[in-house]
Each structure stands twice: as structure tokens, then as C-alpha cells.
Coordinates of all heavy atoms in Angstrom, one line a residue:
M1 N 162.7 -19.4 87.5 CA 162.1 -20.3 86.4 C 161.6 -21.6 87.1 O 162.3 -22.1 88.0 CB 163.3 -20.6 85.5 CG 162.7 -21.5 84.3 SD 164.0 -22.0 83.1 CE 164.3 -20.4 82.3
K2 N 160.5 -21.9 86.8 CA 159.9 -23.2 87.4 C 160.4 -24.4 86.6 O 160.9 -24.2 85.5 CB 158.4 -23.1 87.2 CG 157.6 -22.1 88.1 CD 156.3 -22.1 88.0 CE 155.5 -21.1 88.9 NZ 154.2 -21.1 88.8
T3 N 160.3 -25.6 87.2 CA 160.8 -26.8 86.6 C 160.2 -27.0 85.3 O 160.9 -27.4 84.4 CB 160.6 -27.9 87.6 OG1 161.1 -27.6 88.8 CG2 161.1 -29.2 87.0
E4 N 158.9 -26.8 85.1 CA 158.3 -27.0 83.8 C 158.8 -26.2 82.8 O 159.0 -26.6 81.7 CB 156.7 -26.7 83.9 CG 156.0 -28.0 84.3 CD 154.5 -27.7 84.2 OE1 153.9 -27.3 83.2 OE2 153.9 -27.7 85.4
E5 N 159.0 -24.9 83.1 CA 159.6 -23.9 82.2 C 161.0 -24.3 81.7 O 161.3 -24.2 80.5 CB 159.5 -22.5 82.7 CG 158.2 -21.9 83.0 CD 158.2 -20.7 83.8 OE1 159.1 -20.6 84.6 OE2 157.2 -19.9 83.8
A6 N 161.8 -24.7 82.7 CA 163.1 -25.2 82.5 C 163.2 -26.4 81.5 O 164.0 -26.5 80.6 CB 163.9 -25.6 83.7
M7 N 162.3 -27.3 81.7 CA 162.2 -28.5 80.8 C 161.8 -28.1 79.4 O 162.4 -28.7 78.4 CB 161.2 -29.5 81.4 CG 161.7 -30.3 82.6 SD 163.4 -31.0 82.6 CE 163.3 -32.0 81.2
I8 N 160.8 -27.2 79.3 CA 160.5 -26.7 78.0 C 161.7 -26.0 77.3 O 162.0 -26.4 76.1 CB 159.3 -25.8 78.1 CG1 158.1 -26.6 78.5 CG2 159.1 -25.0 76.6 CD1 156.8 -25.6 78.8
Q9 N 162.5 -25.3 78.0 CA 163.6 -24.6 77.3 C 164.6 -25.6 77.1 O 165.2 -25.6 75.9 CB 164.2 -23.6 78.4 CG 165.4 -22.9 77.8 CD 165.9 -21.9 78.7 OE1 165.2 -21.3 79.7 NE2 167.1 -21.4 78.5
V10 N 164.9 -26.6 77.9 CA 166.0 -27.6 77.6 C 165.5 -28.5 76.4 O 166.3 -28.7 75.5 CB 166.2 -28.5 78.8 CG1 166.8 -29.7 78.5 CG2 166.9 -27.8 80.0
T11 N 164.2 -28.9 76.3 CA 163.7 -29.6 75.2 C 163.9 -28.8 73.9 O 164.3 -29.4 72.9 CB 162.2 -30.0 75.4 OG1 162.2 -30.8 76.6 CG2 161.7 -30.8 74.3
N12 N 163.6 -27.6 73.9 CA 163.8 -26.7 72.7 C 165.1 -26.7 72.3 O 165.5 -26.8 71.1 CB 163.1 -25.4 72.9 CG 161.6 -25.4 72.9 OD1 161.0 -26.4 72.4 ND2 161.0 -24.5 73.5
E13 N 166.1 -26.5 73.2 CA 167.5 -26.4 72.9 C 168.1 -27.8 72.4 O 168.9 -27.8 71.5 CB 168.4 -25.9 74.1 CG 168.0 -24.4 74.4 CD 168.7 -23.9 75.6 OE1 169.5 -24.6 76.2 OE2 168.4 -22.7 76.0
L14 N 167.6 -28.8 73.0 CA 168.0 -30.2 72.5 C 167.6 -30.5 71.1 O 168.3 -31.1 70.3 CB 167.4 -31.3 73.4 CG 168.1 -31.4 74.8 CD1 167.2 -32.3 75.7 CD2 169.4 -32.0 74.8
K15 N 166.4 -29.9 70.7 CA 165.9 -30.1 69.4 C 166.7 -29.2 68.3 O 166.9 -29.7 67.3 CB 164.5 -29.7 69.3 CG 163.5 -30.6 70.0 CD 162.0 -30.1 69.9 CE 161.1 -30.9 70.5 NZ 159.6 -30.4 70.5
T16 N 167.3 -28.1 68.7 CA 167.8 -27.2 67.8 C 169.3 -27.1 67.8 O 169.9 -26.6 66.8 CB 167.2 -25.7 67.9 OG1 167.5 -25.3 69.3 CG2 165.7 -25.8 67.7
D17 N 169.9 -27.5 68.8 CA 171.4 -27.3 69.0 C 172.2 -28.7 69.2 O 172.2 -29.2 70.3 CB 171.7 -26.4 70.2 CG 173.1 -26.0 70.3 OD1 174.0 -26.6 69.7 OD2 173.5 -25.1 71.0
P18 N 172.7 -29.2 68.1 CA 173.4 -30.5 68.2 C 174.6 -30.5 69.2 O 174.8 -31.5 69.9 CB 173.9 -30.8 66.9 CG 173.8 -29.5 66.1 CD 172.8 -28.7 66.8
V19 N 175.3 -29.5 69.5 CA 176.4 -29.4 70.3 C 175.8 -29.5 71.8 O 176.3 -30.3 72.7 CB 177.3 -28.2 70.2 CG1 178.3 -28.0 71.3 CG2 177.9 -28.2 68.8
Y20 N 174.7 -28.8 72.0 CA 174.1 -28.7 73.3 C 173.6 -30.2 73.6 O 173.7 -30.6 74.7 CB 173.0 -27.8 73.4 CG 172.3 -27.7 74.6 CD1 172.8 -26.9 75.7 CD2 171.0 -28.2 74.8 CE1 172.2 -26.8 76.9 CE2 170.3 -28.1 76.0 CZ 170.9 -27.4 77.0 OH 170.3 -27.3 78.3
R21 N 173.1 -30.8 72.6 CA 172.5 -32.2 72.8 C 173.6 -33.3 73.1 O 173.3 -33.9 74.0 CB 171.7 -32.6 71.5 CG 171.3 -34.0 71.5 CD 170.7 -34.4 70.1 NE 170.4 -35.8 70.1 CZ 169.1 -36.2 70.1 NH1 168.1 -35.5 70.3 NH2 168.9 -37.5 70.0
I22 N 174.8 -33.2 72.5 CA 175.8 -34.0 72.9 C 176.3 -33.8 74.3 O 176.5 -34.8 75.1 CB 177.0 -33.9 71.8 CG1 176.5 -34.5 70.5 CG2 178.2 -34.5 72.3 CD1 177.4 -34.1 69.4
G23 N 176.4 -32.5 74.7 CA 176.9 -32.1 76.0 C 175.8 -32.7 77.1 O 176.2 -33.2 78.0
W24 N 174.6 -32.5 76.8 CA 173.6 -32.9 77.6 C 173.5 -34.5 77.7 O 173.4 -35.1 78.9 CB 172.2 -32.4 77.1 CG 171.4 -31.9 78.3 CD1 171.7 -30.6 78.9 CD2 170.3 -32.4 78.9 NE1 170.7 -30.4 79.8 CE2 169.9 -31.5 80.0 CE3 169.6 -33.6 78.8 CZ2 168.8 -31.7 80.8 CZ3 168.5 -33.8 79.6 CH2 168.1 -33.0 80.6
Q25 N 173.7 -35.1 76.6 CA 173.7 -36.6 76.6 C 174.9 -37.1 77.6 O 174.6 -38.1 78.3 CB 174.1 -37.1 75.2 CG 174.2 -38.6 75.1 CD 174.3 -39.0 73.6 OE1 174.1 -38.3 72.7 NE2 174.8 -40.2 73.5
S26 N 176.0 -36.5 77.6 CA 177.1 -36.8 78.4 C 176.8 -36.5 79.9 O 177.5 -37.2 80.7 CB 178.4 -36.0 78.1 OG 178.7 -36.4 76.7
N27 N 176.0 -35.6 80.3 CA 175.9 -35.1 81.6 C 174.4 -35.1 82.1 O 174.2 -34.4 83.1 CB 176.4 -33.7 81.7 CG 177.9 -33.6 81.5 OD1 178.7 -34.4 82.2 ND2 178.3 -32.9 80.4
I28 N 173.6 -35.9 81.6 CA 172.2 -35.8 82.0 C 171.9 -36.1 83.4 O 171.0 -35.4 84.0 CB 171.4 -36.7 81.1 CG1 170.0 -36.4 81.0 CG2 171.6 -38.2 81.4 CD1 169.0 -37.0 80.0
A29 N 172.6 -36.9 84.0 CA 172.4 -37.2 85.4 C 172.6 -36.0 86.3 O 172.0 -35.8 87.3 CB 173.3 -38.5 85.9
M30 N 173.6 -35.2 85.8 CA 173.9 -34.0 86.7 C 172.7 -33.0 86.8 O 172.6 -32.2 87.7 CB 175.1 -33.3 86.1 CG 176.3 -34.1 86.3 SD 176.7 -34.6 87.9 CE 177.1 -33.1 88.7
A31 N 171.8 -33.0 85.8 CA 170.7 -32.0 85.8 C 169.7 -32.3 87.0 O 169.1 -31.3 87.3 CB 169.9 -32.2 84.5
F32 N 169.8 -33.4 87.6 CA 168.9 -33.7 88.6 C 169.5 -34.0 90.0 O 168.9 -34.5 90.9 CB 168.0 -34.9 88.2 CG 167.2 -34.6 87.0 CD1 167.7 -35.1 85.7 CD2 166.2 -33.7 87.0 CE1 166.9 -34.8 84.6 CE2 165.5 -33.4 85.8 CZ 165.8 -33.9 84.6
C33 N 170.8 -33.7 90.1 CA 171.5 -34.0 91.3 C 170.9 -33.2 92.5 O 170.9 -33.6 93.7 CB 173.0 -33.7 91.3 SG 173.9 -34.9 90.2
D34 N 170.5 -32.0 92.2 CA 170.0 -31.0 93.3 C 168.5 -30.9 93.2 O 168.0 -29.9 93.7 CB 170.7 -29.7 93.2 CG 172.1 -29.8 93.6 OD1 172.5 -30.6 94.4 OD2 172.9 -29.0 92.9
A35 N 167.8 -31.8 92.6 CA 166.3 -31.8 92.5 C 165.7 -31.6 93.9 O 166.0 -32.4 94.9 CB 165.7 -33.0 91.7
A36 N 164.8 -30.7 94.1 CA 164.2 -30.4 95.4 C 163.1 -31.4 95.7 O 162.8 -31.7 96.9 CB 163.7 -29.0 95.4
D37 N 162.5 -32.0 94.6 CA 161.4 -33.0 94.9 C 161.9 -34.3 94.6 O 162.1 -34.7 93.4 CB 160.3 -32.5 93.9 CG 159.0 -33.4 94.0 OD1 159.1 -34.4 94.8 OD2 158.1 -33.1 93.4
P38 N 162.0 -35.1 95.6 CA 162.6 -36.5 95.5 C 161.7 -37.5 94.7 O 162.2 -38.3 93.9 CB 162.8 -36.9 96.9 CG 162.0 -36.1 97.8 CD 161.8 -34.8 97.0
V39 N 160.4 -37.1 94.7 CA 159.5 -37.9 93.8 C 159.7 -37.7 92.3 O 159.7 -38.5 91.5 CB 158.0 -37.8 94.3 CG1 157.0 -38.5 93.3 CG2 157.8 -38.2 95.7
Y40 N 159.8 -36.4 92.0 CA 160.1 -36.0 90.7 C 161.5 -36.6 90.3 O 161.6 -37.1 89.1 CB 160.2 -34.5 90.6 CG 160.4 -33.9 89.3 CD1 159.5 -34.0 88.3 CD2 161.7 -33.4 89.0 CE1 159.6 -33.4 87.1 CE2 161.9 -32.8 87.7 CZ 160.9 -32.8 86.7 OH 161.2 -32.3 85.5
R41 N 162.5 -36.6 91.1 CA 163.8 -37.1 90.7 C 163.7 -38.7 90.5 O 164.2 -39.2 89.5 CB 164.7 -36.9 91.9 CG 166.1 -37.4 91.7 CD 167.0 -37.3 93.0 NE 168.1 -38.2 92.9 CZ 169.4 -37.7 92.6 NH1 169.6 -36.5 92.4 NH2 170.3 -38.7 92.5
I42 N 162.9 -39.4 91.4 CA 162.9 -40.8 91.2 C 162.1 -41.1 89.8 O 162.5 -42.2 89.2 CB 162.3 -41.5 92.4 CG1 162.5 -43.1 92.4 CG2 160.7 -41.3 92.4 CD1 163.7 -43.4 93.0
G43 N 161.2 -40.3 89.5 CA 160.6 -40.5 88.1 C 161.6 -40.5 87.0 O 161.6 -41.3 86.1
W44 N 162.4 -39.4 87.1 CA 163.4 -39.3 86.0 C 164.4 -40.4 86.0 O 164.7 -41.0 85.1 CB 164.2 -37.9 86.0 CG 163.3 -36.8 85.6 CD1 162.6 -36.0 86.2 CD2 163.3 -36.5 84.2 NE1 162.0 -35.1 85.3 CE2 162.4 -35.4 84.0 CE3 163.9 -36.9 83.1 CZ2 162.3 -34.7 82.8 CZ3 163.8 -36.3 81.8 CH2 162.9 -35.2 81.7
Q45 N 164.8 -40.8 87.3 CA 165.8 -41.9 87.5 C 165.2 -43.1 86.9 O 165.9 -44.0 86.2 CB 166.1 -42.1 89.0 CG 167.0 -43.2 89.3 CD 167.3 -43.4 90.8 OE1 167.0 -42.5 91.5 NE2 167.7 -44.6 91.1
S46 N 163.9 -43.4 87.1 CA 163.4 -44.7 86.5 C 163.3 -44.7 85.1 O 163.5 -45.8 84.4 CB 161.9 -44.8 87.1 OG 161.9 -44.9 88.6
N47 N 163.0 -43.5 84.5 CA 163.0 -43.4 82.9 C 164.4 -43.6 82.4 O 164.5 -44.3 81.3 CB 162.4 -42.1 82.6 CG 160.8 -42.1 82.8 OD1 160.1 -43.0 82.3 ND2 160.4 -41.0 83.3
I48 N 165.4 -43.0 83.0 CA 166.7 -43.2 82.5 C 167.1 -44.8 82.6 O 167.7 -45.3 81.8 CB 167.7 -42.3 83.3 CG1 167.4 -40.8 82.9 CG2 169.1 -42.6 82.9 CD1 168.1 -39.8 84.0
A49 N 166.8 -45.3 83.8 CA 167.1 -46.7 84.0 C 166.5 -47.6 83.0 O 167.1 -48.6 82.4 CB 166.8 -47.1 85.4
M50 N 165.3 -47.3 82.7 CA 164.6 -48.2 81.7 C 165.1 -48.0 80.3 O 165.3 -48.9 79.5 CB 163.0 -47.8 81.8 CG 162.4 -48.5 82.9 SD 162.7 -50.3 83.2 CE 162.2 -50.9 81.6
A51 N 165.5 -46.8 80.0 CA 166.2 -46.6 78.7 C 167.5 -47.5 78.5 O 167.7 -48.0 77.6 CB 166.5 -45.1 78.5
F52 N 168.2 -47.6 79.7 CA 169.4 -48.4 79.7 C 169.0 -49.9 79.6 O 169.5 -50.7 78.7 CB 170.3 -48.3 80.9 CG 171.5 -49.1 80.9 CD1 172.6 -48.6 80.3 CD2 171.5 -50.3 81.5 CE1 173.8 -49.4 80.3 CE2 172.6 -51.1 81.5 CZ 173.8 -50.6 80.8
C53 N 168.0 -50.3 80.3 CA 167.5 -51.8 80.2 C 167.0 -52.1 78.8 O 167.4 -53.1 78.3 CB 166.4 -52.0 81.2 SG 166.9 -52.0 83.0
D54 N 166.3 -51.2 78.2 CA 165.8 -51.4 76.8 C 166.9 -51.5 75.8 O 166.9 -52.4 75.0 CB 164.8 -50.3 76.4 CG 163.5 -50.4 77.2 OD1 163.3 -51.4 77.9 OD2 162.8 -49.3 77.2
A55 N 167.9 -50.5 76.0 CA 169.0 -50.5 75.1 C 169.8 -51.9 75.3 O 170.3 -52.4 74.2 CB 169.8 -49.3 75.3
A56 N 170.0 -52.3 76.5 CA 170.8 -53.5 76.8 C 170.1 -54.7 76.1 O 170.8 -55.5 75.4 CB 171.0 -53.7 78.2
A57 N 168.8 -54.8 76.2 CA 168.1 -55.9 75.6 C 168.2 -56.0 74.1 O 168.4 -57.0 73.5 CB 166.6 -55.9 76.1
R58 N 168.1 -54.7 73.5 CA 168.2 -54.6 72.1 C 169.6 -55.0 71.6 O 169.8 -55.7 70.6 CB 167.9 -53.2 71.5 CG 166.3 -52.9 71.6 CD 166.1 -51.6 70.8 NE 166.9 -50.5 71.3 CZ 166.5 -49.6 72.3 NH1 165.3 -49.8 72.8 NH2 167.3 -48.7 72.7
Y59 N 170.6 -54.6 72.4 CA 172.0 -54.8 72.0 C 172.3 -56.4 72.1 O 172.9 -56.9 71.3 CB 173.0 -54.0 72.9 CG 174.4 -54.2 72.6 CD1 174.9 -53.3 71.7 CD2 175.2 -55.1 73.2 CE1 176.3 -53.5 71.3 CE2 176.5 -55.3 72.8 CZ 177.1 -54.4 71.9 OH 178.4 -54.5 71.7
K60 N 171.8 -57.0 73.2 CA 172.0 -58.3 73.3 C 171.2 -59.1 72.2 O 171.9 -60.2 71.6 CB 171.4 -58.9 74.6 CG 172.3 -58.6 75.8 CD 171.6 -59.1 77.1 CE 172.6 -58.9 78.3 NZ 171.9 -59.5 79.6
K61 N 170.1 -58.7 71.8 CA 169.5 -59.5 70.7 C 170.2 -59.3 69.3 O 170.4 -60.2 68.7 CB 168.0 -58.9 70.6 CG 167.2 -59.7 69.6 CD 165.7 -59.0 69.6 CE 164.8 -59.8 68.7 NZ 163.4 -59.5 68.7
R62 N 170.6 -58.0 69.2 CA 171.4 -57.7 67.8 C 172.8 -58.6 67.9 O 173.1 -59.1 66.8 CB 171.8 -56.2 67.8 CG 170.8 -55.3 67.2 CD 171.3 -54.0 66.8 NE 172.2 -53.4 67.7 CZ 171.9 -52.6 68.7 NH1 170.7 -52.3 68.9 NH2 172.9 -52.0 69.5
S63 N 173.4 -58.6 69.0 CA 174.8 -59.2 69.0 C 174.7 -60.7 69.3 O 175.7 -61.3 69.0 CB 175.7 -58.5 70.1 OG 175.2 -58.8 71.3
G64 N 173.7 -61.1 69.8 CA 173.6 -62.5 70.2 C 174.3 -62.9 71.5 O 174.5 -64.0 71.8
K65 N 174.7 -61.8 72.2 CA 175.5 -62.1 73.4 C 174.6 -62.2 74.6 O 173.5 -61.7 74.6 CB 176.4 -60.9 73.7 CG 177.5 -60.7 72.7 CD 178.3 -59.6 73.0 CE 179.6 -59.4 72.1 NZ 180.4 -58.3 72.5
V66 N 175.0 -63.1 75.5 CA 174.3 -63.3 76.7 C 174.9 -62.3 77.9 O 174.1 -61.7 78.6 CB 174.3 -64.7 77.3 CG1 173.7 -64.8 78.6 CG2 173.7 -65.6 76.2
Y67 N 176.2 -62.2 77.8 CA 176.9 -61.4 78.9 C 177.5 -60.2 78.1 O 178.0 -60.4 76.9 CB 177.9 -62.2 79.6 CG 177.3 -63.3 80.3 CD1 177.5 -64.7 79.8 CD2 176.6 -63.1 81.5 CE1 177.0 -65.6 80.5 CE2 176.1 -64.2 82.1 CZ 176.2 -65.4 81.7 OH 175.7 -66.5 82.4
L68 N 177.5 -59.0 78.7 CA 178.2 -57.9 78.1 C 179.5 -57.5 78.8 O 179.7 -57.6 79.9 CB 177.1 -56.7 78.2 CG 175.8 -56.9 77.6 CD1 175.0 -55.6 77.7 CD2 176.0 -57.2 76.1
S69 N 180.5 -57.2 77.9 CA 181.7 -56.7 78.4 C 181.7 -55.3 78.7 O 180.7 -54.6 78.5 CB 182.8 -56.9 77.3 OG 182.5 -55.9 76.2
A70 N 182.7 -54.7 79.4 CA 182.8 -53.3 79.7 C 182.6 -52.4 78.4 O 181.9 -51.4 78.4 CB 184.1 -52.9 80.4
V71 N 183.2 -52.9 77.2 CA 183.1 -52.1 76.1 C 181.6 -52.2 75.6 O 181.0 -51.1 75.1 CB 184.0 -52.7 75.0 CG1 183.7 -52.1 73.5 CG2 185.4 -52.5 75.4
D72 N 180.9 -53.4 75.6 CA 179.5 -53.4 75.3 C 178.7 -52.5 76.1 O 177.8 -51.8 75.7 CB 179.1 -54.9 75.4 CG 179.8 -55.8 74.6 OD1 180.0 -55.5 73.4 OD2 179.9 -57.1 74.9
I73 N 178.9 -52.4 77.4 CA 178.1 -51.7 78.4 C 178.4 -50.2 78.0 O 177.4 -49.4 78.1 CB 178.5 -51.9 79.8 CG1 178.1 -53.4 80.1 CG2 177.9 -51.0 80.8 CD1 178.5 -53.9 81.5
H74 N 179.5 -49.8 77.6 CA 179.8 -48.4 77.3 C 178.9 -48.1 76.0 O 178.3 -47.0 76.0 CB 181.2 -48.2 77.0 CG 181.6 -46.9 76.6 ND1 181.8 -45.9 77.7 CD2 181.8 -46.2 75.4 CE1 182.1 -44.7 77.1 NE2 182.0 -44.8 75.8
K75 N 178.9 -48.9 75.0 CA 178.1 -48.8 73.8 C 176.6 -48.7 74.2 O 175.9 -47.9 73.7 CB 178.3 -50.0 72.9 CG 179.7 -49.9 72.2 CD 179.9 -51.0 71.2 CE 181.2 -51.3 70.7 NZ 181.5 -52.4 70.0
V76 N 176.1 -49.5 75.0 CA 174.7 -49.6 75.4 C 174.4 -48.3 76.2 O 173.4 -47.7 76.0 CB 174.5 -50.9 76.4 CG1 173.1 -50.7 77.1 CG2 174.5 -52.1 75.6
A77 N 175.3 -47.9 77.1 CA 175.0 -46.6 77.7 C 174.9 -45.4 76.9 O 174.0 -44.6 77.0 CB 176.1 -46.3 78.8
N78 N 175.7 -45.4 75.8 CA 175.7 -44.2 74.9 C 174.3 -44.3 74.1 O 173.6 -43.3 73.8 CB 176.8 -44.2 74.0 CG 178.0 -43.5 74.7 OD1 177.8 -42.5 75.3 ND2 179.2 -44.1 74.5
E79 N 174.0 -45.5 73.7 CA 172.7 -45.7 72.9 C 171.5 -45.3 73.8 O 170.6 -44.7 73.4 CB 172.7 -47.2 72.5 CG 171.4 -47.6 71.7 CD 171.4 -49.0 71.3 OE1 172.4 -49.6 71.0 OE2 170.2 -49.6 71.3
A80 N 171.6 -45.8 75.0 CA 170.5 -45.5 76.0 C 170.3 -44.0 76.2 O 169.2 -43.5 76.3 CB 170.7 -46.2 77.3
A81 N 171.4 -43.3 76.4 CA 171.4 -41.9 76.6 C 170.8 -41.1 75.4 O 170.0 -40.2 75.5 CB 172.8 -41.3 76.9
N82 N 171.3 -41.6 74.2 CA 170.6 -41.0 73.0 C 169.2 -41.3 72.9 O 168.4 -40.4 72.5 CB 171.4 -41.6 71.8 CG 171.0 -40.9 70.5 OD1 171.0 -39.7 70.4 ND2 170.6 -41.7 69.5
D83 N 168.8 -42.5 73.1 CA 167.3 -42.8 73.1 C 166.5 -42.1 74.0 O 165.5 -41.5 73.7 CB 167.1 -44.3 73.4 CG 167.6 -45.3 72.2 OD1 168.0 -44.8 71.1 OD2 167.7 -46.4 72.5
F84 N 167.1 -41.9 75.2 CA 166.4 -41.2 76.2 C 166.2 -39.7 75.9 O 165.0 -39.2 75.9 CB 167.1 -41.2 77.6 CG 166.4 -40.3 78.6 CD1 165.5 -40.9 79.5 CD2 166.9 -39.0 78.9 CE1 164.8 -40.0 80.4 CE2 166.3 -38.3 80.0 CZ 165.3 -38.8 80.7
I85 N 167.1 -39.1 75.3 CA 167.1 -37.7 74.8 C 166.2 -37.6 73.6 O 165.3 -36.6 73.6 CB 168.5 -37.1 74.6 CG1 169.3 -36.9 75.9 CG2 168.3 -35.7 73.8 CD1 170.7 -36.6 75.6
T86 N 166.2 -38.5 72.7 CA 165.3 -38.5 71.7 C 163.9 -38.6 72.1 O 163.0 -37.9 71.5 CB 165.5 -39.8 70.7 OG1 166.9 -39.6 70.2 CG2 164.7 -39.8 69.5
Q87 N 163.6 -39.5 73.0 CA 162.1 -39.5 73.5 C 161.8 -38.3 74.3 O 160.6 -37.8 74.2 CB 162.1 -40.8 74.5 CG 162.1 -42.0 73.8 CD 161.0 -42.2 72.9 OE1 159.7 -41.9 73.1 NE2 161.3 -42.8 71.7
L88 N 162.7 -37.7 75.0 CA 162.4 -36.4 75.7 C 162.1 -35.2 74.8 O 161.2 -34.4 75.0 CB 163.8 -36.0 76.5 CG 163.6 -34.7 77.3 CD1 162.6 -34.9 78.4 CD2 165.0 -34.4 77.9
C89 N 162.6 -35.3 73.6 CA 162.4 -34.2 72.6 C 161.2 -34.4 71.7 O 160.9 -33.6 70.9 CB 163.7 -34.0 71.7 SG 165.1 -33.5 72.6
K90 N 160.5 -35.5 71.8 CA 159.4 -35.8 71.0 C 158.2 -35.0 71.4 O 158.0 -34.6 72.6 CB 159.0 -37.3 71.0 CG 159.9 -38.0 70.1 CD 159.4 -39.4 70.1 CE 160.2 -40.2 69.1 NZ 159.7 -41.6 68.8

């Protein structure tokens, strides 16, 4: 299976299977650990990182906080993962 085909299959499963979606949200980084193309991998890494940055900025604005605690960061990370997967499935 080619990478493009795999991504189409994953996207379809993320759209239709909520259990699969939650599992993927928890383990998304593992999907690219063995990526053969480092340029492709860095593209995904950048998109995941930006999802976190965007979620952190929104969280700070909502909460009025300047600094985030470990609990806040955990919340932001889950929000970012959810946002990333939602964008992936569009």
C-alpha cells in the first residue's frame, strides 16, 4: 500500500469509527516513527506542532493565563490532537 492510499484509508476510518479516532488521537506520533521520507515526516511534525501552538494560544486567551501548568498543558495537548485529527478528516 502506498502512503497516499494509507492516508485515505486512515482518514475514512477516522471519519466513521469513533473508537478508532480516540485510539489514533492518543498515538498519532507513532504513525510516523518509521517514515521512510524525512521531508514527509517533517511536514507532519510541523503540522502537529502548529496544532499545539494554536491550541495553547486559544487556551491562554480563554483562561487569561500567561503561564500554563502541567494540567493545562495536558488539556492543551488533547485539544490540539483533536483539532489536528478534525482538520485531517476534512
Side-chain angles (χ1 to χ4, degrees):
M1 177 181 292
K2 292 184 179 180
T3 303
E4 268 184 67
E5 295 166 334
M7 289 307 302
I8 290 168
Q9 181 177 342
V10 166
T11 301
N12 288 335
E13 290 175 5
L14 286 170
K15 288 179 182 177
T16 59
D17 186 345
V19 173
Y20 184 78
R21 179 183 170 104
I22 291 168
W24 226 75
Q25 180 178 337
S26 301
N27 297 300
I28 197 163
M30 295 305 295
F32 301 102
C33 284
D34 295 324
D37 183 353
V39 174
Y40 182 73
R41 179 189 163 104
I42 196 87
W44 279 96
Q45 180 181 338
S46 299
N47 285 313
I48 294 167
M50 282 311 303
F52 183 85
C53 290
D54 293 344
R58 285 191 307 271
Y59 187 87
K60 284 181 175 182
K61 188 174 183 177
R62 272 195 320 265
S63 67
K65 293 183 176 184
V66 175
Y67 301 103
L68 300 179
S69 68
V71 172
D72 294 327
I73 291 170
H74 185 82
K75 290 176 185 177
V76 168
N78 281 319
E79 181 181 322
N82 186 54
D83 292 347
F84 179 83
I85 292 171
T86 298
Q87 290 297 320
L88 179 66
C89 294
K90 283 187 175 182

